[in-house]
C-alpha cells in the first residue's frame, strides 16, 4: 500500500539554502518505498528571494506547495500553518538549512510503519551550535522540566514524524501563542526516539538572535 506523507518546511530568508535543500531531500524521498510526498514550504515573510525561488521550484515539481505569510511571524507560526495545511497520513517538520539530516526520514517512516505514532529525532551532539546557545538551551530545559509536569525531551527539536492522529490532536488545541515543542510533548502518543548528529547550516546564518530566544522562553 502506498502512503501519502508531508514534509513541512519553514523558510525565512533562506534563498541560498533552497537548492541544496531540494537536492538533498528529493533523493531521500524517492528512497522511501511505497510513498507519495508533498513538501509544504512556508515562506515566513522573507525579505530575500526565498518566495520567488520556492514558487519556481513548485512550478517544476508539483510535490512542492508554497504558503506565503504577509510578514515574518516566526518559526512557530510557520510550523503551525504548515502542519494545518499538510494532508499526509504522517507529517514531518524539517528545517530548510539541512541541520536536520534528511537521511533520517527513511528510518522515521520505517519506525512509523512498525507502529510508532511519534518518531523523535534526538541530537547526540550539538557542537555545531555555539556555546551560548547550548548553555542557554540546557538551562531552559532543566528549568522547564523542574517546573512543569509535561517534560520536554532535551536535545529534541521540531524534527520528528507525527502520525495523522497526533496531528489532528495538535490541531484541536486552542492555544494561539504556540510553542510547538511544548505542545508536541503535551499531546503524548506512542513514541520512539532515533539519534543523530547535528550538522552545521548548509548556507547563511541562524535566524534567531539571543534576544528572540530569550523572548521565546518568556512567552512560552
Ligand atoms: N525560521 C522561520 N522564521 C523565523 C526564523 C526561522 O521560518 O523567524 C526557519 C528557518 O528558515 C529554518 C528554521 O526556521 O528553516 C530554523 O531556523 P534556524 O536554522 O535559523 O535556527 P537554528 O537552527 O539556528 O536554531
Ligand atoms: Mg538551523
Amino acid at each position: 500500500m502506498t502512503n501519502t506523507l508531508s514534509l513541512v518546511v519553514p523558510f525565512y530568508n533562506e534563498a541560498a539554502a533552497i537548492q541544496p535543500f531540494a537536492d538533498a531531500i528529493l533523493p531521500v524521498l524517492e528512497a522511501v518505498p511505497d510513498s507519495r510526498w508533498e513538501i509544504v514550504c512556508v515562506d515566513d515573510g522573507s525579505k530575500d528571494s526565498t518566495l520567488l525561488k520556492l514558487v519556481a521550484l513548485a512550478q517544476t515539481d508539483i510535490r512542492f506547495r508554497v504558503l506565503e505569510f504577509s510578514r515574518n511571524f516566526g518559526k512557530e507560526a510557520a510550523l503551525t500553518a504548515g502542519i494545518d495545511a499538510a494532508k499526509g497520513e504522517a507529517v514531518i517538520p524539517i528545517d530548510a538549512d539541512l541541520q536536520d539530516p534528511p537521511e533520517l526520514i527513511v528510518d522515521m517512516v520505517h519506525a512509523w510503519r512498525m507502529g510508532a505514532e511519534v518518531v523523535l529525532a534526538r541530537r547526540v551532539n550539538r557542537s555545531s551550535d555555539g556555546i551560548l546557545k547550548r548553555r542557554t538551551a540546557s538551562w531552559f530545559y532543566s528549568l522547564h522540566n523542574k517546573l512543569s509536569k509535561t517534560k520536554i525531551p532535551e536535545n529534541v527539536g521540531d524534527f520528528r514524524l507525527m502520525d495523522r492522529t497526533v496531528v489532528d490532536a495538535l490541531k484541536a488545541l486552542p492555544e494561539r501563542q504556540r510553542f510547538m515543542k511544548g505542545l508536541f510533548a503535551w499531546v503524548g502518543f506512542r513514541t520512539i526516539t532515533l539519534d543523530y548528529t547535528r550538522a552545521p547550516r548548509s548556507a547563511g546564518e541562524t535566524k534567531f538572535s539571543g534576544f528572540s530566544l530569550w523572548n521565546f522562553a518568556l512567552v512560552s
Side-chain angles (χ1 to χ4, degrees), residues 95-103 122-130 133 159 196-204:
D95 285 355
D97 59 7
L98 298 178
Q99 287 203 280
D100 300 331
E103 319 78 72
R122 181 170 55 200
R123 311 177 270 247
V124 286
N125 97 43
R126 293 184 61 145
S127 54
S128 63
D129 285 333
K133 173 97 180 267
F159 183 40
Y196 75 97
T197 307
R198 193 150 176 86
R201 259 188 163 270
S202 66

Side-chain angles (χ1 to χ4, degrees), residues 9-14 42 44 72-76 78 94-97 99 129 133 198 201 205-208 213:
V9 200
F11 288 84
Y12 179 51
N13 294 341
E14 298 284 13
V42 185
D44 183 15
N72 179 237
F73 284 90
K75 183 182 177 186
E76 308 303 299
I94 182 168
D95 285 355
D97 59 7
Q99 287 203 280
D129 285 333
K133 173 97 180 267
R198 193 150 176 86
R201 259 188 163 270
E205 288 180 350
T206 179
K207 314 299 175 199
F208 290 100
L213 286 171

